[in-house]
């Protein structure tokens, strides 16, 4: 360990470790579910770390939060009811709130400490909780999904950590089936779906499961996040049987400074061109994803 540096060592990326220079550790405690740490980095702002894995940094969180939210919500004409599973930092809520058609934003986060820590150390991310349309549930997203009435949501966003840890069940078939049931016909789901550089086997299994469960369209998109190992992270975009969804051509564009809630800042990353581009994949990934 190099003093003054945080190295992200994890079985999720064997043999490599992204490092950030640490100025000061601001918080470190064990919740009922995981180790929660916040540190001030030298060049990426404050950093949220769960069980030794970087979840977000102030400097580049926009790339992840904006893409995981607007890829699904800009793909359907009039999203009204949205559910977020995970996402306790509030960043996805901040992005969903930009859509004026949205009337109800439910969020189910298993670890209350993540919510409290985000509100204290990441106010520009946790600002999402200020929107009056938000209903926060602290609990297991798997159970929440099972209890959701059939056909409730226009969109579900699964902003989870990784299959190693509390989020494991959010990557399994029964959970995807419960999401499909809770979505209306032609509803959409967007899930955190790992890195094509590091996790092609995990992605292969997710695509196989999604194609069996979601009878609309199933697509993989990706974005660049410099502080995620391999510099990229992806998303599964699926729709249920019903009105066709063409993820690659946003029917409900959001422009750079549209924001339904007064307090949100202009978009830093997402735009309609990068929406379409996000679905263009390198051949080694296309071969696996398009063949399933
Ligand atoms: N809600 C935050 C999502 C990211 C969680 C941590 C993480 N960091 C990653 C880097 C590469 C591939 C998958 C990853 N998963």
């Amino acid at each position: 360990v190099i003093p003054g540096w945080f190295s992200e060592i994890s079985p999720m990326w064997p043999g490599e470790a992204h490092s950030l220079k640490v100025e000061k550790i601001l918080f470190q405690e064990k919740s009922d579910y995981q180790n929660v740490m916040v540190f001030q980095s030298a060049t990426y702002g404050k950093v949220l770390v769960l069980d030794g894995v970087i979840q977000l940094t102030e400097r580049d969180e926009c790339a992840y939060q904006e893409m995981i939210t607007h890829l699904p919500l800009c793909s359907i004409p009039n999203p009204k009811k949205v559910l977020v599973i995970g996402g306790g930092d509030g960043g996805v809520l901040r992005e969903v709130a930009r859509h004026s058609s949205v009337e109800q934003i439910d969020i189910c986060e298993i670890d209350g400490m993540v919510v409290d820590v985000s509100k204290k150390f990441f106010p520009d991310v946790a600002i999402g909780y200020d929107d009056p349309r938000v209903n926060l549930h602290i609990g297991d997203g798997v159970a929440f999904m099972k209890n959701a009435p059939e056909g409730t949501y226009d969109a579900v966003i699964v902003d989870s950590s990784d299959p190693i840890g509390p989020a494991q069940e959010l990557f399994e078939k029964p959970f995807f089936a419960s999401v499909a049931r809770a979505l209306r016909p032609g509803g959409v789901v967007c899930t955190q779906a790992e890195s094509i550089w590091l996790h092609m086997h995990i992605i292969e299994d997710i695509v196989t499961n999604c194609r069996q469960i979601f009878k609309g369209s199933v697509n993989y998109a990706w974005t660049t996040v410099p502080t995620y190992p391999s510099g990229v992270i992806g998303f599964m975009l699926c729709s249920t049987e019903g009105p066709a969804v063409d993820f690659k051509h946003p029917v409900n564009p959001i422009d750079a400074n549209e924001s339904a809630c007064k307090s949100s800042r202009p978009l830093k990353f997402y735009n309609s061109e990068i929406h379409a581009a996000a679905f263009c994949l390198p051949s080694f990934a296309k071969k696996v994803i398009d063949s399933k």
Side-chain angles (χ1 to χ4, degrees), residues 19-21 31 48 56 79 81 83 87 107 109 114 124 131 139 163 189 202 210 236 239 246 248-249 256 264 284 288:
S19 301
L20 287 175
K21 193 161 174 35
S31 77
L48 174 64
L56 69 87
K81 289 187 182 177
L83 169 61
I107 175 169
E109 163 60 54
V114 171
D124 294 344
D131 192 288
V189 59
I202 297 177
C210 286
M236 275 320 301
S239 63
D246 175 3
K248 300 183 183 179
H249 302 98
S264 69
F284 74 85
V288 168

Side-chain angles (χ1 to χ4, degrees), residues 13 53-55 64 159-162 192 194-195 198-199 228-230 232-233:
W13 28 87
V53 173
I54 291 173
Q55 301 297 314
Y64 176 85
D159 173 17
S160 66
S161 48
D162 296 304
Q192 190 267 98
E194 310 301 333
S195 162
L198 303 169
H199 309 122
Y228 285 165
S230 77
V232 298
I233 195 164

